[in-house]
Amino acid sequence: MKVLKNLTKIKLSSHFALIGILSVLMLFMGSTLSAQGNLPKTQSLSTLKVEELSDEQIAQFKVKYLSDGYSLADLDKELTKRDLPSTEIEKLKLRLQKLESKGVDETKENEENDFESKTKLGPKTEIKATDVFSLLKPKIFGNELFNNPKLSFEPNLKMAAPLNYQVGPEDELIIDIFGYSEQSYKLKISSEGNVRIPNLGPVFVAGLTLEQAQQKISAKLISLYPNIGTGKTSVAISLGSIRSIKVIILGEVNAPGTYTLPSVSTVFNALYASGGPNSNGSFRKIKLIRGNKVIANIDIYDFLMNGSSKGNLPLKDMDVIKVDAYEARVELKGFVKRDGFYEVLAKDNLASLLNYCGGFAPKAYTERVKLIRNTGFQQRVAEVEKKQFPTFTLNNGDVIFVDTILSRYENRVEIEGAVFRPGFFSIDDNATLSQLIKSAGGVREEAFLSRATILRRRADNSQEVSAIDVAKVLEGTIDMTLKREDKITIASNFEMKEPQTITISGDVKYPGTYPYAHNMRVEDVIILAGGLLESATTENIQIAQRVEDANRADKDAILSNVIKISIEKNLKEKSGENYFLKPYDAITIFPKPGYLAQKQVQIRGEVMFPGSYAILRSDDRVSDLIQRAGGITALGYAGGAILIRKRSNNYQDIIVKENKLLALKRLTKDTVKAAKLIAEEMEKTTDVVGINLSKIMKKPGSKEDVVLSANDILEIPSVNQTVFITGEVLYPVRISFAPNKGFSSYVSNAGGFSSKALKRRAYIVYPNGTAKDTKSFFGIKIYPKVLPGSELVIPPKEDKKSLSPLEIVTITTSLTSMLVLISTIIR
């Protein structure tokens, strides 16, 4: 069967007039627009009223707007593009700001006195995948039926035509003859309503159902195929390609006009093609007009609520669908399953409205609802009781708000602490404390039974505390009657005491504090601490105990008791040693006498064998390290050697940190920034020891020859034949070193001193980390000697603040007054 793929809409280009019930005159433009699927994507918001939007809608719009890649800075442009008036744009921006400042999740209790300003309008709903700006349109019940991209009311052209389908011009009939005779025809019905069968002549079938057409054609074919009459030959007629019909859709729809639709289309197909009723359109008073007569009044709510398709009638050529404006629409807010705008008829009441919305949400207050009604002059507030729902008539513009239940309990008590099943319980079944403890599974073994606290609300909602002896309650000698919202706390003995611990320090793998347990020994704590280190001795283990009765007034008072014990290396119990630890004991494990771990130093740079070396003697010096490293290379610069002394005692930690910093330098594109970061990090953990390696190598063992410490790093740089001039010079620069040039010559190469230069404080930083300042002798400046790799630093003068006119006047007045006073005293 040939399928008509596109539903086309022909624009209405001329007016039409009502004559009788309806007589339509139109002129059609040649251009066509597709139906629902290709409506313009930029939806018009020209009729939007921001005050009709809920805070939930605006919050959902903001989330979807940003997630779709829009920017709040472009909000004005996007809304203007969609025809939203500037006044409404400002209102929307103000609503967005208010939501951001106070949050959308405010509860009903915070707004109980102003339900018109509610921001929480019921259970949160999922934001569907749809155009973000459609979220700004009022939630009109039924509108999603025609605007939901997941729904389609396009007719199914692939299914067999029903037998009651009325054939007409342009329909194609497929006539199959089979049995004793075999023949097949594909014939189109002419504009006169005839189908012309070869060798038989025209047969008029227009206006007949498919079943009637089959009977009429079969009767005519008997003259050509006599066996049809005997049943030995059969005739089957089906519909091939179907004709198109024109349907006029007018009134309050999104896209009124004339539509070309398949002849199997129904009312809903046509409404879907037109985009459905607009914001003013009625979903309950839709007229189907045929031959100037209203043949059906369609209520879409019947379909939405009951699934009834009795109003979804098949269409005929030149049918008219008219959507009237709604007569009465009400808004339903709050804790209902579907909030939004609902159209109501005269027969509807509040009960039927709640049926349309799916009923109350789980936490809705169902005993009464609040209502705002327009009186024609102003608004009034009313409350409608539950018993009035079936008889309460709704008016156009009514706003019904369904509140939430109170966040409180009428029969709740709570028990917490040292019971097996703490939590909330019903006071109906646990009227007394003994019953509540039993429902909570009883008290735990460590329960503090001397006293339980009961937190109770007084009549004015303030709180008071009372206490009871739990042990006597369990014995049955006393009990307490509970009240609503009582909160009972039974403490634990563990919680009532300071945590009991044992501390271990010294040569164990994980020194620290561990929980105390009865019958605990030193060996048990050592196991908890990961075991002994290789350096640890099992002799002379010290245990310090707390003193609870020390005489603070006696200066010779004992502050702690110290016990010394020894243990077996394999941590087995030692015969004769029967000491059990007490809470808060402090254990110290000492190293073996004479045990020393290897200490290492590093030498880097221009030596023959750079690397890590162990310290051999306690008086190993820099000269010894240089000698073991094979001496300085030809490119080495002894004058620039520096000794870096680590503040950390853990050599491995230092190496790991340095490796991480070097890796950072390799990964960071900004090498200058990376180098600065490395320098800052190294500065936090190191000190530079100024040495004169030239003197050390000339006289090893002298006072200049520094004794090495663990983790020292000795760096021997290569010769640096440059000098860097920085600070208050006209052009800070790095220039090559010249042996015959002095301090002033290098400064001249940098453009000379600036006007802010403090010449007498100029100094040099040498490559080995030492510095030397400028001396002065009878006003003659003696600058330090410049060596290769030096940095000349010219500091700035201190800024001198000039006196303001007010300060000058104040000082002058004070001096004048003082002189006058002195003169008076002298006289």
Side-chain angles (χ1 to χ4, degrees):
M1 177 174 24
K2 182 178 178 182
V3 178
L4 194 61
K5 292 183 178 179
N6 295 321
L7 307 179
T8 58
K9 166 191 168 183
I10 302 177
K11 285 186 176 180
L12 180 62
S13 61
S14 185
H15 65 280
F16 48 86
L18 293 176
I19 302 175
I21 298 178
L22 187 65
S23 174
V24 184
L25 294 174
M26 295 186 203
L27 296 175
F28 300 101
M29 294 176 63
S31 62
T32 61
L33 291 175
S34 66
Q36 174 76 5
N38 292 324
L39 285 173
K41 291 184 179 179
T42 304
Q43 300 190 25
S44 175
L45 300 175
S46 58
T47 60
L48 174 66
K49 300 297 181 186
V50 174
E51 58 267 20
E52 294 180 354
L53 300 177
S54 67
D55 281 1
E56 186 185 18
Q57 280 181 274
I58 293 178
Q60 287 182 350
F61 165 76
K62 181 179 179 180
V63 173
K64 187 78 166 62
Y65 180 82
L66 294 175
S67 65
D68 282 358
Y70 291 101
S71 167
L72 289 177
D74 299 329
L75 184 61
D76 284 21
K77 181 177 70 175
E78 296 295 333
L79 293 173
T80 303
K81 188 191 301 183
R82 289 161 176 80
D83 305 323
L84 185 64
S86 58
T87 54
E88 298 298 323
I89 293 176
E90 293 304 318
K91 289 180 185 178
L92 179 60
K93 289 164 65 177
L94 185 62
R95 291 279 299 276
L96 286 168
Q97 291 174 1
K98 286 183 178 179
L99 279 181
E100 188 171 353
S101 63
K102 67 180 179 180
V104 188
D105 295 326
E106 295 180 0
T107 62
K108 168 66 182 70
E109 289 183 354
N110 296 333
E111 300 172 336
E112 197 162 0
N113 297 325
D114 187 12
F115 65 89
E116 288 185 76
S117 64
K118 293 293 290 180
T119 58
K120 183 172 175 60
L121 299 181
K124 292 184 178 179
T125 55
E126 180 185 356
I127 302 177
K128 297 182 174 62
T130 183
D131 176 40
V132 61
F133 292 96
S134 65
L135 295 173
L136 290 177
K137 293 190 174 182
K139 294 168 64 176
I140 301 173
F141 181 62
N143 205 30
E144 196 177 45
L145 188 67
F146 302 103
N147 294 320
N148 190 338
K150 295 182 180 180
L151 295 177
S152 174
F153 280 104
E154 295 178 358
N156 187 354
L157 304 180
K158 296 181 179 180
M159 64 181 293
L163 293 177
N164 62 351
Y165 172 78
Q166 287 188 346
V167 299
E170 298 303 318
D171 278 342
E172 182 183 60
L173 298 181
I174 300 174
I175 304 172
D176 285 320
I177 302 169
F178 54 94
Y180 274 24
S181 301
E182 297 285 340
Q183 186 60 270
S184 180
Y185 302 101
K186 285 188 178 181
L187 307 172
K188 266 199 172 183
I189 300 175
S190 66
S191 56
E192 291 81 15
N194 298 319
V195 59
R196 184 174 293 275
I197 301 173
N199 302 319
L200 187 62
V203 179
F204 185 80
V205 293
L208 301 179
T209 65
L210 194 60
E211 186 177 21
Q212 292 170 341
Q214 178 170 330
Q215 293 173 355
K216 187 171 183 179
I217 292 172
S218 297
K220 295 286 186 179
L221 285 172
I222 291 177
S223 59
L224 293 179
Y225 304 98
N227 286 325
I228 293 176
T230 64
K232 295 178 180 180
T233 299
S234 300
V235 178
I237 297 179
S238 60
L239 202 61
S241 61
I242 60 176
R243 69 185 186 279
S244 297
I245 60 174
K246 294 187 185 301
V247 177
I248 302 165
I249 306 174
L250 49 87
E252 298 295 337
V253 291
N254 283 302
T258 299
Y259 287 81
T260 300
L261 303 172
S263 56
V264 294
S265 298
T266 63
V267 172
F268 285 2
N269 299 144
L271 287 173
Y272 179 80
S274 69
N278 60 24
S279 58
N280 292 322
S282 171
F283 284 80
R284 312 202 62 181
K285 290 188 175 182
I286 300 173
K287 298 174 182 175
L288 176 59
I289 302 170
R290 182 176 296 160
N292 296 336
K293 293 181 180 179
V294 178
I295 67 166
N297 286 298
I298 300 152
D299 186 348
I300 295 179
Y301 278 26
D302 282 343
F303 175 73
L304 293 173
M305 299 306 301
N306 307 316
S308 172
S309 59
K310 64 180 181 181
N312 191 22
L313 301 174
L315 296 173
K316 291 188 177 182
D317 194 35
M318 295 311 292
D319 276 354
V320 175
I321 298 173
K322 185 174 185 298
V323 178
D324 292 332
Y326 70 85
E327 290 184 2
R329 183 182 286 168
V330 298
E331 185 177 5
L332 188 57
K333 293 183 177 182
F335 285 80
V336 291
K337 292 177 181 175
R338 286 192 299 268
D339 59 350
F341 291 89
Y342 290 83
E343 185 179 351
V344 292
L345 303 178
K347 64 180 182 179
D348 288 323
N349 50 50
L350 189 50
S352 57
L353 175 64
L354 292 170
N355 181 48
Y356 295 152
C357 77
F360 292 108
K363 290 191 176 181
Y365 178 57
T366 61
E367 292 303 312
R368 67 169 63 90
V369 298
K370 297 176 182 178
L371 176 134
I372 300 175
R373 175 163 289 178
N374 301 321
T375 62
F377 177 70
Q378 57 188 353
Q379 292 181 320
R380 64 186 300 269
V381 177
E383 291 189 347
V384 184
E385 301 288 339
K386 185 175 183 179
K387 61 183 179 181
Q388 297 175 282
F389 291 175
T391 58
F392 189 83
T393 304
L394 299 168
N395 291 351
N396 184 35
D398 282 352
V399 179
I400 300 95
F401 184 84
V402 178
D403 214 334
T404 181
I405 56 175
L406 299 178
S407 182
R408 56 184 293 173
Y409 296 84
E410 62 182 21
N411 65 339
R412 182 179 70 171
V413 290
E414 182 182 3
I415 186 169
E416 65 177 12
V419 292
F420 285 103
R421 297 183 182 276
F424 298 106
F425 294 87
S426 167
I427 198 173
D428 303 332
D429 303 321
N430 301 280
T432 63
L433 179 57
S434 60
Q435 291 174 326
L436 180 60
I437 293 175
K438 184 177 180 182
S439 296
V443 295
R444 297 203 302 264
E445 292 81 357
E446 77 278 9
F448 180 72
L449 301 179
S450 301
R451 185 183 185 92
T453 58
I454 296 93
L455 190 65
R456 175 168 290 173
R457 291 184 182 273
R458 304 173 69 180
D460 61 355
N461 232 18
S462 62
Q463 292 184 327
E464 66 177 5
V465 174
S466 58
I468 192 170
D469 189 329
V470 180
K472 291 183 178 180
V473 172
L474 296 177
E475 291 170 359
T477 56
I478 62 173
D479 209 342
M480 173 181 281
T481 302
L482 300 178
K483 293 184 178 181
R484 182 183 71 85
E485 293 296 346
D486 277 356
K487 183 177 181 179
I488 296 88
T489 302
I490 299 176
S492 166
N493 281 315
F494 297 149
E495 297 170 353
M496 298 286 289
K497 297 178 182 178
E498 178 186 357
Q500 294 182 333
T501 58
I502 295 290
T503 302
I504 185 168
S505 60
D507 287 23
V508 291
K509 192 172 182 181
Y510 303 115
T513 301
Y514 295 90
Y516 169 79
H518 292 288
N519 299 324
M520 180 178 275
R521 298 193 181 199
V522 171
E523 293 87 345
D524 302 318
V525 182
I526 290 174
I527 291 173
L528 291 176
L532 297 170
L533 298 180
E534 188 66 27
S535 58
T537 178
T538 57
E539 304 293 331
N540 196 34
I541 294 175
Q542 178 179 288
I543 304 169
Q545 295 179 331
R546 282 187 179 183
V547 175
E548 297 180 357
D549 54 354
N551 184 3
R552 300 289 297 276
D554 184 1
K555 65 178 182 178
D556 296 325
I558 297 175
L559 301 181
S560 63
N561 294 323
V562 176
I563 300 172
K564 293 183 179 180
I565 66 170
S566 60
I567 60 174
E568 297 287 350
K569 292 183 179 180
N570 56 10
L571 301 183
K572 287 185 176 181
E573 292 187 12
K574 190 172 183 180
S575 59
E577 296 288 350
N578 197 25
Y579 179 76
F580 294 103
L581 296 172
K582 296 180 180 179
Y584 315 113
D585 279 359
I587 305 166
T588 304
I589 308 295
F590 294 101
K592 298 172 184 176
Y595 181 89
L596 290 175
Q598 303 94 323
K599 296 180 181 179
Q600 289 187 309
V601 293
Q602 253 191 0
I603 186 168
R604 300 173 178 172
E606 296 297 330
V607 291
M608 300 301 292
F609 303 105
S612 297
Y613 290 85
I615 296 178
L616 301 180
R617 302 183 309 276
S618 58
D619 63 343
D620 260 2
R621 298 176 181 269
V622 170
S623 58
D624 298 322
L625 181 59
I626 294 287
Q627 184 179 4
R628 290 163 60 192
I632 301 173
T633 66
L635 296 177
Y637 178 41
I642 61 172
L643 180 66
I644 301 172
R645 181 149 289 173
K646 305 289 185 177
R647 294 175 186 169
S648 172
N649 292 323
N650 191 327
Y651 181 78
Q652 292 300 326
D653 288 348
I654 294 169
I655 298 300
V656 169
K657 188 168 187 177
E658 287 183 358
N659 289 338
K660 286 182 178 179
L661 291 170
L662 293 173
L664 173 66
K665 185 175 181 181
R666 288 194 298 270
L667 296 173
T668 306
K669 294 181 180 179
D670 190 347
T671 55
V672 175
K673 183 178 179 181
K676 184 179 178 182
L677 179 61
I678 291 173
E680 290 175 352
E681 289 296 322
M682 293 298 293
E683 188 177 347
K684 295 176 183 177
T685 57
T686 60
D687 292 314
V688 176
V689 180
I691 61 171
N692 191 328
L693 188 58
S694 299
K695 289 184 179 181
I696 290 173
M697 298 310 295
K698 287 178 182 178
K699 194 175 181 179
S702 63
K703 291 189 294 184
E704 297 280 349
D705 199 357
V706 178
V707 176
L708 297 172
S709 294
N711 305 323
D712 279 354
I713 299 175
L714 180 62
E715 290 195 356
I716 315 295
S718 57
V719 177
N720 184 357
Q721 293 294 339
T722 63
V723 175
F724 184 46
I725 305 95
T726 183
E728 292 300 327
V729 291
L730 295 179
Y731 185 69
V733 67
R734 186 182 296 275
I735 60 177
S736 60
F737 172 76
N740 299 325
K741 293 175 69 172
F743 191 99
S744 299
S745 298
Y746 285 108
V747 173
S748 297
N749 289 139
F753 294 105
S754 71
S755 58
K756 295 182 179 180
L758 186 60
K759 301 177 185 178
R760 60 188 174 87
R761 294 296 184 192
Y763 61 93
I764 290 181
V765 179
Y766 292 109
N768 65 352
T770 60
K772 196 170 184 179
D773 63 345
T774 301
K775 305 295 183 182
S776 181
F777 183 73
F778 291 105
I780 301 172
K781 296 180 179 65
I782 303 173
Y783 292 110
K785 184 179 180 180
V786 181
L787 298 177
S790 298
E791 181 178 351
L792 283 60
V793 182
I794 317 298
K797 296 177 181 177
E798 293 183 1
D799 291 335
K800 293 183 179 180
K801 182 181 178 183
S802 58
L803 295 177
S804 66
L806 180 61
E807 291 173 330
I808 294 173
V809 171
T810 303
I811 294 171
T812 304
T813 303
S814 300
L815 290 174
T816 303
S817 301
M818 188 177 294
L819 290 173
V820 171
L821 179 61
I822 293 171
S823 177
T824 302
I825 292 172
I826 292 173
R827 288 177 184 176

